[in-house]
Amino acid sequence: MKKRNKLKILNDPIYGFITIPNELIFDLLEHRYFQRLRRISQMGLSYLVYPGAHHTRFHHALGCMYLMQKAVRVLGFKGVTISEEEEEALYAAILLHDIGHGPFSHAMEHSIVNEVNHESISLMFMEKINEEFNGSLTLAIQIFKGEYHRNFLHQLISSQLDMDRLDYLKRDSFYTGVAEGNINSERLITMLTVVNDELMIEEKGIYSVEKFLLARRLMYWQVYLHKTSIVAENLLIRVLQRAKELVEKGTELPASRALAFFLENIITPDNFTPEVLDTFSRLDDYDIVSAMKEWMNVEDFVLSKLSSMIIDRDLLKIKIKKKPFEKEKEKKQIHKISKKYKISNEDARYFVFGGTISNQAYHQNKQNINILYKSRKILDIVKATDEYNLEALSKPVTKYFMCSPKYKH
């Protein structure tokens, strides 16, 4: 029988050719759990604002692996020893770091599963694949969880300057066309070094780090927290909440088998069994979109209206302020909507709601980005820089929003 070539080369629009380093990584890419990421949008409903933002978690995971390969080469060149087992584990861990994301990325976590975050689902997937692969992911899981004795390996996967952030900022900037997010990830990686098992940036990379943190702040305000994206994501959360509410009351709704399961059952961390995980692995963006297309025609006014708002992109209007909105204002709006749509105040709350958004580009005292000087002195980036803005970037900025229907006169 002809042996299959597993050392493939993939073409990426940002980095060019990406090489699959070994057979284990190839087999992970081939796994149906990983292939599902082709059907999970990287940026949720942001394509309603930026028409090019249709890239997927699959794209992103491959990009992260490419950057990790580059980081391993750079650190090896600087005399940091990384064994073949550690290298393979790094590639596997970064490839699978987002495998637990649900449809449209974050909407699921706030609607049809209860307090089960994507990180814990990613870990469940990794442990399940590890069983199938006879324990060959054990080291990758240790590093992913931060339980391995060489801390810098974990920092490459999860920290304030990890391969995940270096890829998604550059990739999201590319696909949205928002140039402010276009960081020089390759230069940042070239400046990486390790001291006492901690990841650092060499002194000459300080301006690249400043640009990276500034780009992160701008991408949050301009893209991830764009007002239209906030409306769309909140509508999607409410679509799923309403659907679940109706199913619990006995209404039959058209839905794929995987989606129906999550609408019919209350899923918490305690009952997220391997069987539930397998059903979750069949759930993706397509289930949600096709369900909403059907739900536009159901009898329930709330579900029908919310679904058509997303499908037809006729969204709510949103106001954003630095101070909280008065409760009285929200009450008036709810009363107005219940009269207009002839629905109860309770149902009107699906169309009038508020919330907060927060942006903090850098968290001091949380796996800091440290700068290593030639004198071997080590300073946190905020103390090392002469850029006053960085001090400000490490303080969270919170804004308040209120959504309500547009009035057509």
Side-chain angles (χ1 to χ4, degrees), residues 18-21 64-73 91:
I18 297 177
T19 309
I20 297 173
C64 290
M65 186 192 71
Y66 169 83
L67 294 180
M68 187 66 86
Q69 287 172 306
K70 197 167 175 60
V72 166
R73 279 197 302 274
Y91 299 153

Side-chain angles (χ1 to χ4, degrees), residues 45 47-48 104 231-237 239 292 305-315:
L45 290 161
Y47 62 81
L48 294 176
F104 293 108
V231 175
E233 181 154 334
N234 275 280
L235 280 174
L236 181 57
I237 289 166
V239 164
M292 286 192 294
K305 183 80 175 158
L306 290 171
S307 298
S308 58
M309 278 179 166
I310 295 177
I311 295 293
D312 299 336
R313 201 195 177 281
D314 184 12
L315 306 169

